Amino acid sequence: MTGQPGLFELPDPHPTPTVRAPHDRGRRGEHWTRTVIADLHVVDRRALLDAAHQRLSDGLTIELGPADPDEDLLDPHEEISTSDAAAVRWWAEPTTGTWPQLAAALRLDAVELDATDEHPHLVRARWSVTVTITDIDLMRTEARGLGDADETFPHLWNRAADPFAPLAGLPGVTWAPVSVEIVRGR
């Protein structure tokens, strides 16, 4: 007999190290967008609506000057009462968990938020936050205790700022994550 393995007795291959593309680690000046989707099941509509009305009433108002009157637009308090999705839109803040914690490492470029009534008592919420990296070394320093500081920027961002933090404390709902996607922009 020979000392060589047979067809079905091949030795295990040597493990290969994971190679990360340098552009996935994040660099100063790069733009990244994180898009998060969650399904919310409304279990107490009154609690949800009251919370949205309270958030709207307590919020900061910025006067931008005279607006064009649009008679088709509802007053925000009226809009909240029209649907669960409207209440979620007025309550949720997509940057929760990111600011001020990461304000020195990232610059906020854009925020989008939408929520739709999928079925009675079911709302699908979707939000996107686009940032520019201003100090990747500071971001890695902040994340040292959270895992591998050499990981990709998407993993680093998710560790440093919970993607679902905007739903924390939202009364009257339970929710389930659908997806989190982070892509590098141009």
Side-chain angles (χ1 to χ4, degrees):
M1 282 218 132
T2 67
Q4 295 201 358
L7 178 61
F8 297 104
E9 299 169 357
L10 292 176
D12 291 333
H14 295 289
T16 56
T18 303
V19 177
R20 294 187 177 114
H23 65 274
D24 285 348
R25 289 183 24 92
R27 290 186 289 221
R28 186 183 198 304
E30 285 183 341
H31 305 283
W32 291 81
T33 300
R34 176 166 70 182
T35 302
V36 182
I37 300 173
D39 283 337
L40 291 74
H41 179 72
V42 178
V43 294
D44 184 346
R45 186 167 198 261
R46 178 59 24 216
L48 172 62
L49 297 182
D50 288 348
H53 283 293
Q54 188 65 42
R55 176 80 48 111
L56 180 61
S57 296
D58 292 347
L60 177 66
T61 302
I62 299 173
E63 190 64 40
L64 298 175
D68 293 332
D70 187 345
E71 290 152 21
D72 292 336
L73 292 177
L74 293 175
D75 172 76
H77 285 286
E78 290 176 35
E79 183 183 4
I80 289 170
S81 300
T82 63
S83 76
D84 297 337
V88 169
R89 281 192 301 271
W90 280 103
W91 192 92
E93 169 50 56
T95 63
T96 299
T98 302
W99 310 116
Q101 297 88 331
L102 302 176
L106 302 173
R107 181 186 74 219
L108 179 65
D109 294 330
V111 176
E112 294 180 20
L113 169 66
D114 192 27
T116 55
D117 290 304
E118 296 294 308
H119 299 288
H121 309 291
L122 179 64
V123 174
R124 174 152 287 182
R126 178 191 177 281
W127 60 92
S128 294
V129 176
T130 301
V131 298
T132 298
I133 299 172
T134 57
D135 191 339
I136 191 65
D137 294 327
L138 178 61
M139 183 93 170
R140 292 193 186 290
T141 299
E142 293 293 323
R144 285 212 195 280
L146 302 172
D148 179 9
D150 195 35
E151 62 194 337
T152 66
F153 179 76
H155 288 107
L156 192 64
W157 190 4
N158 281 339
R159 283 184 183 276
D162 178 8
F164 295 98
L167 299 178
L170 177 58
V173 303
T174 59
W175 57 271
V178 174
S179 66
V180 176
E181 178 185 39
I182 300 177
V183 295
R184 187 167 48 100
R186 297 175 191 209

